[in-house]
């Protein structure tokens, strides 16, 4: 039985895969290589343009992403706005109109204007590669090293995030390679393969999940930013000129997917980009309200024909589609959805882990994961370690383990066993007692409500099927 987070991660990956590949006739899945020919990364623009602006503090010797320092400054302004709203909501009670307050309160309007103008200036400077102005902005805002308060900064430099490695046995013949910084390029180079062998017609998508690697300047905030992480990406190939409508479609679809997890719709927001990446004509982030503020969870990008067009040029091979309706060949446009599996895991975990005070004043730690995402789906307890109860419990585990993730626990009092499973996020526990051998019923206890009811042993499988199936979630999409 698994008490780690990996089954949850797998469940999230499965949910994404089902919602993309299983539910859409026109989306297929692939599993491309991590190593690709180095020219791939030249063609994709990553070798030349996959950079982050880096700044060092001369006193603390700490290294930061200049854009993140500025964004954190803006987040503080946004927090001040939030505080004003909370204060006013208390003051005005039921009569409070949030929208009106946001547009009319002079202090809030001033904060808002300031935040917007900072982000706009940063976006424009990064777009023009005017790194001196990014530094000026940091100085004008008097941003200090978060660890020491020092404002003694170096100039801002570009830092390439590609992870280099070597292929080959001897140093002189070895070939420089890169680990992939995103899974998307494996999809682009396989576009024609998939389209031809699957006889796919536009619009259609290719989805894949897998590891990606980035030499991040700073990797911190738990698993929010790592150098090795997993992505779930889908590239949707479309006729040129239809990108606006598909971009809108996938924005809405993906937001709905997140909301279906039940973490609270207020915890998501779109952040449309001012500064566009080298490949995009429109881009947005779905941001999530992490414990450290709203941050990117998923990116949705309208990538035009940038990638396929460039691979065509560098490979000297056509990557075109013949459109029978338009009666012409063209390089398709692409709308991409790209989400970090580790980030969604963090999102789920951070909202689900709760400390509850019960009616009797005691507390319990409970991981209120959506039941289908829980690592263990059912825990089975014999009330006592004698009178044949462990044998009955073991038999139930044996019968159910083929379809569900089941745990067996006989240690300590039942109350303590419940608490242990609460903290692990197990949605249901069943207890076998002396009545079980008489009438073949057990007690089922619900993690969230803590309510207990008696059901027949034969009905456990059905109950789990009903409560733990992906289909209920998928139907909401
Ligand atoms: P950020 O601005 O946070 O660096 P990004 O805009 O570079 O992210 P994308 O290139 O759009 O990110 O990558 C798509 C998704 O991959 C992101 O939305 C995120 O969920 C995930 N991701 C990107 N970098 C990392 C990382 N270093 N660690 C974990 N997940 C990541």
């Amino acid at each position: 039985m698994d008490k780690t987070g990996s089954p949850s991660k797998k469940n999230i990956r499965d949910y994404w895969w089902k919602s993309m590949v299983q539910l859409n006739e026109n989306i297929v899945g692939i599993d491309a290589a991590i190593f690709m020919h180095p020219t791939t990364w030249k063609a994709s623009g990553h070798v030349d343009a996959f950079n982050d602006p880096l700044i060092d503090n001369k006193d603390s010797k700490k290294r930061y992403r200049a854009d993140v320092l500025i964004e954190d400054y803006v987040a503080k302004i946004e927090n001040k706005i939030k505080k004003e709203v909370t204060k006013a909501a208390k003051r005005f009670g039921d009569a409070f109109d949030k929208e009106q307050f946001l547009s009319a309160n002079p202090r809030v309007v001033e904060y808002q204007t300031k935040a917007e103008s900072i982000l706009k200036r940063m976006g424009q400077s990064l777009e023009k590669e005017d790194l001196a102005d990014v530094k000026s902005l940091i100085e004008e805002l008097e941003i200090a090293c978060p660890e020491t308060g020092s404002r003694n900064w170096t100039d801002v430099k570009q830092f390439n995030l590609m992870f280099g490695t070597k292929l080959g046995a001897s140093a002189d013949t070895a070939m420089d390679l890169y680990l992939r910084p995103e899974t998307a390029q494996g999809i682009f180079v396989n576009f024609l393969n998939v389209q031809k062998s699957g006889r796919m017609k536009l619009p259609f998508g290719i989805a894949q999940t897998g590891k990606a690697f980035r030499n991040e300047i700073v990797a911190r905030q738990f698993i929010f930013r790592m150098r090795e992480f997993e992505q779930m990406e889908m590239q949707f190939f479309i006729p040129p000129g239809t990108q606006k409508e598909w971009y809108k479609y996938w924005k809405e679809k993906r937001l709905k997917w997140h909301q279906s997890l039940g973490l609270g719709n207020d915890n998501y927001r779109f952040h449309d980009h001012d500064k566009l990446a080298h490949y995009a004509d429109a881009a947005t982030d779905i941001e999530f309200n992490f414990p450290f503020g709203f941050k990117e969870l998923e990116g949705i990008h309208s990538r035009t024909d940038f990638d396929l067009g460039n691979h065509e040029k560098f490979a000297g091979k056509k990557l075109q589609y013949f459109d029978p309706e338009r009666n012409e060949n063209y390089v398709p446009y692409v709308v991409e959805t790209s989400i970090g599996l580790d980030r969604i895991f963090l999102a789920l975990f951070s909202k689900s882990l709760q400390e509850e005070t019960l009616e009797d004043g005691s507390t319990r730690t409970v991981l209120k994961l959506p039941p289908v995402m829980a690592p263990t789906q059912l825990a089975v307890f014999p009330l006592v370690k004698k009178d044949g109860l462990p044998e009955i419990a073991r038999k139930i585990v044996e019968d159910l383990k083929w379809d569900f993730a089941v745990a067996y626990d006989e240690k300590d009092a039942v109350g303590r066993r419940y608490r242990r499973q609460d903290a692990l996020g197990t949605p249901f526990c069943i207890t076998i007692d002396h009545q079980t051998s008489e009438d073949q019923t057990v007690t089922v206890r619900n993690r969230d409500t803590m309510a207990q009811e008696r059901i027949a042993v034969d009905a456990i499988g059905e109950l789990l099927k009903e409560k733990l199936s992906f289909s209920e979630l998928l139907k909401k999409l």
Side-chain angles (χ1 to χ4, degrees):
M1 187 41 49
D2 215 320
K3 293 187 178 130
T4 67
S6 57
S8 278
K9 209 172 146 184
K10 183 184 171 301
N11 290 339
I12 302 168
R13 192 192 295 112
D14 285 350
Y15 181 45
W16 182 87
W17 188 266
K18 282 172 194 285
S19 72
M20 283 293 181
V21 181
Q22 192 169 313
L23 289 193
N24 291 292
E25 274 177 29
N26 63 346
I27 299 183
V28 291
I30 64 164
D31 192 9
I34 288 180
F35 291 147
M36 292 198 285
H37 194 281
T39 311
T40 312
W41 304 111
K42 209 55 202 155
S44 68
H46 282 85
V47 174
D48 298 319
F50 193 48
N51 301 319
D52 276 341
L54 169 155
I55 192 165
D56 287 307
N57 188 281
K58 290 186 199 164
D59 297 327
S60 68
K61 309 282 180 236
K62 293 276 173 201
R63 179 157 277 191
Y64 296 96
R65 255 173 73 173
D67 55 335
V68 171
L69 282 179
I70 297 169
E71 278 167 7
D72 286 349
Y73 181 91
V74 169
K76 281 190 196 136
I77 303 179
E78 283 169 351
N79 266 342
K80 286 186 189 162
I81 297 176
K82 233 198 271 159
K83 276 197 190 131
E84 293 291 335
V85 170
T86 316
K87 255 192 340 205
K90 251 195 209 146
R91 196 158 10 108
F92 293 112
D94 286 345
F96 182 59
D97 179 339
K98 188 175 167 191
E99 291 312 312
Q100 204 212 336
F101 179 76
L102 286 176
S103 61
N105 181 283
R107 193 176 300 159
V108 167
V109 172
E110 194 187 314
Y111 286 148
Q112 197 82 44
T113 316
K114 188 172 178 193
E116 279 164 17
S117 84
I118 294 171
L119 288 179
K120 189 156 177 228
R121 177 163 156 204
M122 180 180 82
Q124 285 170 346
S125 306
L126 288 173
E127 185 97 44
K128 286 186 293 188
E129 298 244 358
D130 184 354
L131 300 181
D133 190 57
V134 177
K135 180 175 181 191
S136 304
L137 186 56
I138 288 176
E139 286 173 340
E140 283 165 35
L141 298 173
E142 302 189 344
I143 295 176
C145 168
E147 298 213 2
T148 61
S150 156
R151 283 194 250 131
N152 191 7
W153 296 110
T154 62
D155 287 342
V156 178
K157 285 185 290 205
Q158 287 292 23
F159 177 81
N160 190 279
L161 302 181
M162 297 294 282
F163 245 109
T165 183
K166 297 224 180 264
L167 173 87
S170 63
D172 48 334
T173 56
M175 181 180 180
D176 285 322
L177 276 194
Y178 294 107
L179 299 179
R180 65 181 179 197
E182 59 177 27
T183 66
Q185 298 304 320
I187 292 180
F188 291 123
V189 299
N190 280 296
F191 160 72
L192 261 196
N193 258 346
V194 175
Q195 190 267 318
K196 290 218 180 304
S197 58
R199 288 182 291 140
M200 305 302 290
K201 288 211 165 52
L202 254 56
F204 78 92
I206 305 179
Q208 85 167 321
T209 70
K211 285 272 167 128
F213 307 83
R214 295 183 187 181
N215 206 357
E216 295 282 357
I217 295 170
V218 236
R220 57 170 79 122
Q221 285 168 323
F222 313 105
I223 54 170
F224 180 79
R225 188 176 302 288
M226 297 190 290
R227 297 193 170 94
E228 174 185 335
F229 56 99
E230 188 166 341
Q231 288 188 314
M232 308 191 287
E233 296 198 296
M234 194 278 299
Q235 312 293 318
F236 201 67
F237 299 91
I238 53 175
T242 62
Q243 65 268 35
K244 275 212 171 79
E245 111 203 26
W246 283 113
Y247 174 65
K248 186 165 170 276
Y249 173 88
W250 282 109
K251 259 179 92 165
E252 284 164 13
K253 262 277 195 243
R254 294 303 305 149
L255 182 63
K256 241 178 157 182
W257 184 90
H258 288 286
Q259 290 175 342
S260 73
L261 294 172
L263 304 183
N265 293 1
D266 288 351
N267 287 317
Y268 299 91
R269 70 180 188 194
F270 283 119
H271 168 226
D272 297 330
H273 287 204
D274 290 323
K275 175 191 182 277
L276 292 172
H278 59 275
Y279 51 75
D281 78 349
T284 195
D285 296 336
I286 296 178
E287 293 187 336
F288 182 75
N289 190 10
F290 285 98
F292 37 84
F294 272 96
K295 298 268 180 206
E296 173 176 347
L297 183 57
E298 169 155 7
I300 296 156
H301 310 122
S302 171
R303 293 181 82 124
T304 69
D305 58 356
F306 176 89
D307 303 87
L308 287 180
N310 267 7
H311 285 302
E312 221 182 27
K313 268 186 236 146
F314 278 79
K317 201 179 135 216
K318 287 222 174 316
L319 281 173
Q320 301 196 350
Y321 170 76
F322 176 72
D323 185 330
E325 275 164 39
R326 295 188 183 189
N327 196 24
E328 58 173 346
N329 281 301
Y330 54 76
V331 177
Y333 270 43
V334 170
V335 171
E336 149 186 275
T337 71
S338 171
I339 173 174
L341 176 51
D342 313 273
R343 279 194 195 175
I344 172 104
F345 180 88
L346 180 61
L348 264 182
F349 205 85
S350 64
K351 282 285 174 285
S352 302
L353 189 61
Q354 296 172 16
E355 195 73 33
E356 267 184 6
T357 305
L358 306 175
E359 271 171 21
D360 66 0
S362 66
T363 55
R364 71 162 182 160
T365 305
V366 52
L367 186 62
K368 288 192 170 171
L369 289 172
V372 280
M373 299 298 168
T376 304
Q377 297 170 314
L378 177 77
V380 181
F381 310 149
L383 182 64
V384 288
K385 270 195 274 182
K386 53 181 186 183
D387 306 333
L389 301 189
E391 288 73 16
I392 302 176
R394 285 277 183 207
K395 165 91 174 50
I396 292 175
V397 171
E398 271 307 302
D399 289 346
L400 292 172
K401 75 175 185 189
W402 308 100
D403 295 312
F404 304 100
V406 192
Y408 173 84
D409 190 3
E410 58 178 25
K411 278 188 223 93
D412 305 321
V414 168
R416 291 188 63 180
R417 286 182 252 169
Y418 283 149
R419 290 289 183 277
R420 265 205 295 274
Q421 296 300 330
D422 286 344
L424 289 167
T426 309
F428 299 101
C429 296
I430 62 173
T431 303
I432 285 76
D433 55 21
H434 293 95
Q435 197 183 322
T436 308
S437 42
E438 286 161 25
D439 65 3
Q440 277 72 52
T441 64
V442 292
T443 308
V444 182
R445 185 243 192 203
N446 181 302
R447 175 196 68 195
D448 298 343
T449 62
M450 301 200 299
Q452 301 186 15
E453 57 171 328
R454 265 203 108 81
I455 65 165
V457 170
D458 289 347
I460 304 170
E462 274 313 305
L463 173 86
L464 295 183
K465 227 187 258 166
E466 185 196 320
K467 303 282 187 197
L468 298 172
S469 100
F470 276 115
S471 51
E472 286 312 306
L473 274 190
L474 289 165
K475 279 177 195 159
K476 286 194 211 162
L477 300 178

